Amino acid sequence: MEEVIRRVETAGAWIILKHAERESAYAAVLEQFREFVHSIAGPEGAKQILNPEMLIIISSPGRLTPFHFDAEINFLVQVRGQKEVWICDPQDRSVVSEIDIESYYARGKASGTYSPEVEHKARRFTLQPGEGVHIPSHAAHWVKNGKDVSVSLSLNFEFPQWKYKDSYKMNYELRKLQRSPNPPGRSELTDRAKSIGFRLLSKSRSILKIPND
Ligand SMILES: [Fe+2]
């Protein structure tokens, strides 16, 4: 690891240090940021923005992180070097479909499928040190470093499991039964019911030893 950090200028590599907040100095920064995000979200929204984590991303000049989306609510903050970030609308189902998201949660599949049209649908941001950008949950994005070594912080939060993870997994099961389930987010009651349904299904499968697929 030390060798890679030393050689990152030429290694064509990227290094992610997870849970940087285990060091108290970073924990203080993350806590300040959590307070800021929760104050924007309001008391009700804050209840659904959980598990703050800080990652440090060190990457080589010109390094490309290809098209993908993540479950996390992400804030990408540039510390050193320059980065270009392309971000699509998380609600645009022509970029990331419901089936893409279901597969991501249910099968851990690579997230999303790149097509050249997304280049025109994304917003492009150039990040300089001290600047940051919000990458919403399920928003497709890709990132290209500038000509210097880049150091960024990724400040992540998670939604509660019932909101997307479990209900998308349940939708994956329903689709296998030829149903066309409603996407999560329309009714909290339905999403919570799907979450309970999925957990019961998983439990009965593990008791009966039925494989997932
Ligand atoms: Fe990402």
Side-chain angles (χ1 to χ4, degrees), residues 123-195:
R123 285 182 69 187
R124 177 176 158 181
F125 302 86
T126 303
L127 296 186
Q128 306 288 353
E131 295 179 337
V133 70
H134 171 42
I135 305 176
S137 176
H138 308 144
H141 57 281
W142 62 101
V143 184
K144 190 164 186 354
N145 281 350
K147 57 181 176 29
D148 300 313
V149 170
S150 162
V151 180
S152 317
L153 299 179
S154 174
L155 302 154
N156 278 321
F157 300 86
E158 291 178 332
F159 283 122
Q161 262 184 246
W162 61 264
K163 193 173 174 72
Y164 292 118
K165 189 176 183 181
D166 287 347
S167 38
Y168 267 120
K169 283 181 170 182
M170 193 63 207
N171 279 3
Y172 179 82
E173 299 297 331
L174 292 167
R175 212 177 285 278
K176 280 202 292 191
L177 301 170
Q178 314 303 324
R179 305 289 171 87
S180 301
N182 276 333
R186 293 191 185 172
S187 148
E188 182 174 328
L189 198 67
T190 308
D191 295 342
R192 284 184 180 275
K194 281 180 178 169
S195 171

Side-chain angles (χ1 to χ4, degrees), residues 11-28:
W14 61 321
I15 302 159
I16 298 183
L17 305 171
K18 295 185 173 180
H19 288 294
E21 73 279 3
R22 285 179 187 155
E23 290 286 334
S24 58
Y26 292 105

Side-chain angles (χ1 to χ4, degrees), residues 26-63:
Y26 292 105
V29 175
L30 184 61
E31 176 54 18
Q32 230 179 8
F33 194 71
R34 183 202 62 74
E35 279 177 12
F36 168 67
V37 171
H38 278 183
S39 73
I40 295 170
E44 281 311 303
K47 285 183 199 161
Q48 296 187 13
I49 299 177
L50 312 173
N51 306 334
E53 182 187 354
M54 182 190 287
L55 300 94
I56 301 173
I57 305 166
I58 306 164
S59 39
S60 295
R63 173 92 198 180

Side-chain angles (χ1 to χ4, degrees), residues 67-68 86-89 92-96 112-124 140-142:
F67 176 94
H68 70 286
W86 288 260
I87 305 173
C88 298
D89 178 352
D92 187 340
R93 291 290 165 260
S94 71
V95 176
V96 173
T113 313
Y114 172 83
S115 69
E117 296 87 71
V118 301
E119 303 272 350
H120 308 293
K121 294 177 177 169
R123 285 182 69 187
R124 177 176 158 181
H141 57 281
W142 62 101

